[in-house]
Amino acid sequence: DQQVKQNSPSLSVQEGRISILNCDYTNSMFDYFLWYKKYPAEGPTFLISISSIKDKNEDGRFTVFLNKSAKHLSLHIVPSQPGDSAVYFCAASAGNQGGKLIFGQGTELSVKP
Amino acid sequence: EADIYQTPRYLVIGTGKKITLECSQTMGHDKMYWYQQDPGMELHLIHYSYGVNSTEKGDLSSESTVSRIRTEHFPLTLESARPSHTSQYLCASSSQNLNTEAFFGQGTRLTVV
């Protein structure tokens, strides 16, 4: 049973516009959520995270929103740039399970000039 | 930039061969992980370690084995490679803090022919 789901395998956005990537989870014990960016044949790079005690965290062009009641989080990138084109993975962890990261399937973002 | 290194980056090997994928980190992290990723799929945790002489199997069953004799080193071994082992293998590490990101190496792309 997949505990972290990213239902959109791909997203295409025009440069300068907002990119919104979505993620749903099922395990109510998750208390920490992260977004990673990954290029082919490379390891994931950490982007931004949010603790379950918050509903929003912002870092430059990246903002993560958490809706605990809906078990949903989203990553907003604004303005989107061509260099943002990559696969974005949502991940979650539960402190009482040792903090192991559980990943979604990823969403491939393409930002067109 | 994260100081976690994986070698080799790419490996093509024949069926039945024994292989060891190397992973080293210089951040003094106690926690280390091995993930396996097939194209277009999520990262699956196959092994993790919370310190020296501590290893556990992850959520995805794997025929590989790991060892953790030194804090900085977490190699993964396949005694007899098969085509079904073809995948990308990603090593990661994190500090002891519960809500913290994991840093990933660049990965090893393994192809068994």
Side-chain angles (χ1 to χ4, degrees):
Chain A
D1 181 36
Q2 198 163 4
Q3 299 182 68
V4 179
K5 298 180 184 179
Q6 294 175 256
N7 293 317
S8 298
S10 62
L11 175 67
S12 183
V13 171
Q14 206 68 29
E15 181 179 6
R17 298 293 187 103
I18 185 170
S19 296
I20 300 176
L21 297 101
N22 294 302
C23 178
D24 297 295
Y25 63 96
T26 58
N27 187 344
S28 58
M29 300 306 294
F30 286 148
D31 55 9
Y32 190 60
F33 304 88
L34 309 89
W35 284 94
Y36 281 84
K37 176 180 179 181
K38 186 180 186 295
Y39 296 111
E42 298 284 339
T45 302
F46 169 73
L47 270 178
I48 192 169
S49 63
I50 188 167
S51 166
S52 60
I53 61 173
K54 295 186 175 182
D55 54 20
K56 177 183 174 181
N57 188 27
E58 192 172 352
D59 183 2
R61 295 186 299 114
F62 302 92
T63 303
V64 56
F65 294 92
L66 175 63
N67 183 333
K68 282 180 293 184
S69 61
K71 292 191 176 68
H72 177 84
L73 65 155
S74 61
L75 174 68
H76 293 210
I77 306 172
V78 56
S80 301
Q81 300 172 353
D84 296 329
S85 297
V87 178
Y88 288 78
F89 287 93
C90 169
S93 69
N96 66 351
Q97 294 171 12
K100 295 173 286 182
L101 294 181
I102 307 299
F103 284 83
Q105 312 95 304
T107 296
E108 183 172 10
L109 174 65
S110 175
V111 181
K112 301 189 185 305
Chain B
E1 190 171 319
D3 296 321
I4 179 164
Y5 309 100
Q6 289 186 244
T7 57
R9 289 288 309 278
Y10 303 92
L11 178 62
V12 181
I13 200 162
T15 298
K17 299 290 186 182
K18 178 180 178 178
I19 58 168
T20 296
L21 307 183
E22 301 288 348
C23 177
S24 295
Q25 51 95 5
T26 58
M27 296 173 281
H29 287 165
D30 286 314
K31 295 182 180 179
M32 295 190 74
Y33 313 87
W34 277 102
Y35 286 85
Q36 182 177 343
Q37 190 207 9
D38 293 319
M41 303 296 289
E42 64 264 48
L43 283 69
H44 287 288
L45 181 66
I46 53 174
H47 298 284
Y48 61 98
S49 167
Y50 288 162
V52 171
N53 294 325
S54 153
T55 61
E56 301 285 345
K57 288 195 177 291
D59 303 322
L60 180 69
S61 176
S62 174
E63 294 168 344
S64 58
T65 59
V66 293
S67 62
R68 189 89 183 276
I69 299 172
R70 302 197 319 264
T71 298
E72 63 271 21
H73 196 213
F74 192 40
L76 180 145
T77 299
L78 274 166
E79 290 292 333
S80 179
R82 292 207 300 267
S84 61
H85 296 139
T86 294
S87 189
Q88 185 178 35
Y89 293 84
L90 295 157
C91 180
S93 72
S94 67
S95 70
Q96 280 288 5
N97 299 331
L98 284 178
N99 288 346
T100 185
E101 67 269 29
F103 295 92
F104 281 83
Q106 291 187 299
T108 295
R109 169 66 64 185
L110 173 66
T111 303
V112 184
V113 298

